[in-house]
Amino acid sequence: MNFTQTLRINQELRSQSPDEVLENYSGLAQSAFQADPGEATPTVICALNEARDIGSTLASLALSDRNVLPVVVDNGSTDGTPEIAETMGAVVLSEPRPSKMRAYQCALRFLE
């Protein structure tokens, strides 16, 4: 699946409610992300209050033909973003200091 197809799938998923995405895709995502973590390409997602979109983003990654290890770095969300990401099977890290750069640094420390 190419990048354009992945974007199309993400747009389709975003037309569903976050609860529908969790209900319909969390099992698939968990299986996809657990398939072979040693061979997976790390995919870092910095997130702050992304509950509306994090499920569809992770579902579209799970539906792609790439073996990815999603690493979601929560940057102080108050809307349930880290819980949704964890339910979808992503590795969830926390960086409480608000800064996208600090969130990326947190992910890099984890991946070393």
Side-chain angles (χ1 to χ4, degrees), residues 35-112:
D36 190 357
E39 297 295 319
T41 301
T43 305
V44 176
I45 302 169
C46 300
L48 175 61
N49 293 327
E50 297 290 341
R52 173 76 181 112
D53 295 321
I54 195 71
S56 60
T57 298
L58 292 168
S60 67
L61 285 173
L63 291 167
S64 75
D65 60 355
R66 305 282 187 216
N67 184 9
V68 299
L69 172 66
V71 178
V72 175
V73 183
D74 181 61
N75 215 196
S77 297
T78 58
D79 66 349
T81 296
E83 293 82 7
I84 294 168
E86 188 173 340
T87 299
M88 293 295 287
V91 172
V92 178
L93 307 175
S94 177
E95 173 50 67
R97 298 169 296 178
S99 163
K100 195 171 195 177
M101 183 56 69
R102 288 178 195 243
Y104 276 121
Q105 290 170 342
C106 177
L108 290 174
R109 283 190 301 274
F110 171 79
L111 293 169
E112 288 182 321

Side-chain angles (χ1 to χ4, degrees), residues 14-33:
R14 289 182 71 203
S15 70
Q16 298 178 31
S17 75
D19 289 338
E20 289 174 314
V21 171
L22 276 177
E23 184 178 325
N24 295 329
Y25 295 96
S26 63
L28 172 97
Q30 290 170 7
S31 296
F33 300 148

